[in-house]
């Protein structure tokens, strides 16, 4: 196995990946009123916000457009379970026992660096998403290691929106593998509040906080605000990180958008709250 530098994570691998995906769909009753304004669904509690329409990528005057009442099929629940079996537990000699190894094949399955020793079975990864109505959004991610008999990661995220207001909460538990030592444990509680949405004309804002229950301190805080006119819009964001001696900094980001032309700034789509 040839490595070019310490960041090279591509390795030879012989593996079999198997999984199960279950989806449940529902259709609301005919004549049910639909919301004209897109709520701030999926506000990022612990991850980047999902893909949404950018401003003006829809009907330009929502105030004069009637709400659609036709029933639409929507996805109520999705459960994905996956695992990998490695025919070569040493990854063609790339695995170094006694330390955490990150390879492309393990990163594609989960973000937890579970390869600390040769192994055939990866942890089983479960991703459950439930949306019982247009106002709720719940996701539970779980990584369970059968070889070690423990949970590596468990994250529960819940969002609820009522009109223009959105509130979300989350609980993230992480057990970092430490070879030959007791694994490090982290647990973080997250809260997010939002008003408006990305496509809303006028003022919108959202904020997210993360509290570390192990260190008993606020690890990060984020505030994002947007104002959209008929021709353009601007988004500002402030982030504060205070993660022990690892990261202690303030970040300022912005994006300016022009209708039907484009946008520029240092706030990327995957980093926004909504």
């Amino acid at each position: 196995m040839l490595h070019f530098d310490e960041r090279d994570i591509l390795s030879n691998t012989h593996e079999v990946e198997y999984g199960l995906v279950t989806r449940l769909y529902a259709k609301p009753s005919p004549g049910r009123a639909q919301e004209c304004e897109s709520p701030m669904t999926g506000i990022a509690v612990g991850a980047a916000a999902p893909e949404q329409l950018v401003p003006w990528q829809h009907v330009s005057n929502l105030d004069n457009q009637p709400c659609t009442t036709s029933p639409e099929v929507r996805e109520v629940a999705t459960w994905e379970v996956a695992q990998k079996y490695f025919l070569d537990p040493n990854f063609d000699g790339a695995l170094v026992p006694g330390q955490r190894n990150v390879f492309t094949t393990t990163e594609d399955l989960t973000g937890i660096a579970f390869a600390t020793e040769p192994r055939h079975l990866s942890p089983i990864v479960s991703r459950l998403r439930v949306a019982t109505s247009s106002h709720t959004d719940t996701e539970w991610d779980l990584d369970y290691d059968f070889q070690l008999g423990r949970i590596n990661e468990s994250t529960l995220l819940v969002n609820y929106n009522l009109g223009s207001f959105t509130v979300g909460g989350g609980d993230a538990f992480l057990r970092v593998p430490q070879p030959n030592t007791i694994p490090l444990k982290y647990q973080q509680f997250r809260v997010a509040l939002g008003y408006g949405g990305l496509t809303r004309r006028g003022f919108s804002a959202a904020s997210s906080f993360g509290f570390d229950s192990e260190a008993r301190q606020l690890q990060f805080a984020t505030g994002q605000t947007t104002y959209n006119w008929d021709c353009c819009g601007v988004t500002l964001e402030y982030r504060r990180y205070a993660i022990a001696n690892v990261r202690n900094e303030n970040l300022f980001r912005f994006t300016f958008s022009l209708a039907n032309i484009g946008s520029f700034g240092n706030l990327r789509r995957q980093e926004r709250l909504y």
Side-chain angles (χ1 to χ4, degrees):
M1 177 61 193
L2 178 62
H3 283 274
F4 293 95
D5 53 42
E6 65 277 3
R7 297 185 178 182
D8 183 17
I9 62 174
L10 185 63
S11 65
N12 292 336
T13 178
H14 302 276
E15 63 187 41
V16 177
E17 180 176 356
Y18 46 90
L20 175 67
V21 179
T22 302
R23 302 182 189 275
L24 179 63
Y25 296 90
K27 191 174 184 178
S29 302
R32 187 174 176 179
Q34 302 287 329
E35 293 185 4
C36 291
E37 180 181 352
S38 300
M40 194 180 291
T41 55
I43 183 172
V45 180
E51 289 298 319
Q52 303 182 41
L53 293 175
V54 297
W56 314 285
Q57 196 176 358
H58 59 303
V59 179
S60 59
N61 190 357
L62 290 178
D63 296 333
N64 299 327
Q65 299 297 325
C67 297
T68 177
T69 58
S70 59
E72 297 180 357
V73 176
R74 60 184 179 85
E75 190 173 297
V76 176
T78 301
W79 188 24
E80 302 177 11
V81 181
Q83 190 178 33
K84 288 188 176 184
Y85 181 85
F86 303 108
L87 302 177
D88 181 2
N90 294 301
F91 299 91
D92 198 18
L95 187 140
V96 180
Q99 71 178 40
R100 290 187 294 150
N101 296 267
V102 179
F103 303 122
T104 302
T105 178
T106 62
E107 185 74 13
D108 290 341
L109 182 68
T110 177
I112 308 301
F114 60 86
T116 58
E117 59 185 16
R119 59 189 300 164
H120 288 287
L121 280 177
S122 73
I124 189 168
V125 176
S126 172
R127 303 291 183 260
L128 176 63
R129 292 178 291 273
V130 179
T132 55
S133 70
S134 60
H135 298 283
T136 60
D137 182 19
T138 305
E139 181 173 349
W140 181 30
D141 299 340
L142 178 70
D143 289 13
Y144 186 83
D145 195 331
F146 283 101
Q147 182 168 317
L148 300 178
R150 68 188 186 197
I151 295 175
N152 286 343
E153 176 268 339
S154 177
T155 302
L156 177 64
L157 304 174
V158 179
N159 286 297
Y160 180 80
N161 65 80
L162 182 61
S164 299
F165 296 91
T166 301
V167 59
D171 177 20
F173 172 78
L174 173 64
R175 182 182 279 113
V176 180
Q178 296 291 325
N180 304 322
T181 62
I182 299 176
L184 299 177
K185 295 181 181 180
Y186 298 93
Q187 188 165 16
Q188 188 181 83
F189 297 98
R190 302 162 182 173
V191 177
L193 303 172
Y195 170 78
L198 181 66
T199 61
R200 175 187 175 90
R201 279 173 173 76
F203 173 78
S204 297
S207 183
S208 179
F209 305 90
F211 181 80
D212 191 333
S213 62
E214 299 290 335
R216 298 185 180 276
Q217 68 176 12
L218 189 68
Q219 280 196 336
F220 75 88
T222 306
Q224 180 179 321
T225 181
T226 301
Y227 196 92
N228 291 326
W229 294 272
D230 290 336
C231 63
C232 52
V234 61
T235 298
L236 304 175
E237 183 186 85
Y238 166 75
R239 292 198 178 197
R240 165 66 180 168
Y241 291 97
I243 308 176
N245 297 325
V246 178
R247 191 174 188 183
N248 195 326
E249 61 180 325
N250 299 307
L251 298 176
F252 298 90
R253 297 187 175 103
F254 80 97
T255 295
F256 180 76
S257 303
L258 289 174
N260 302 318
I261 296 179
S263 61
F264 70 91
N266 59 352
L267 177 59
R268 295 179 297 180
R269 177 171 295 188
Q270 62 268 29
E271 295 172 338
R272 68 178 185 234
L273 287 177
Y274 56 88

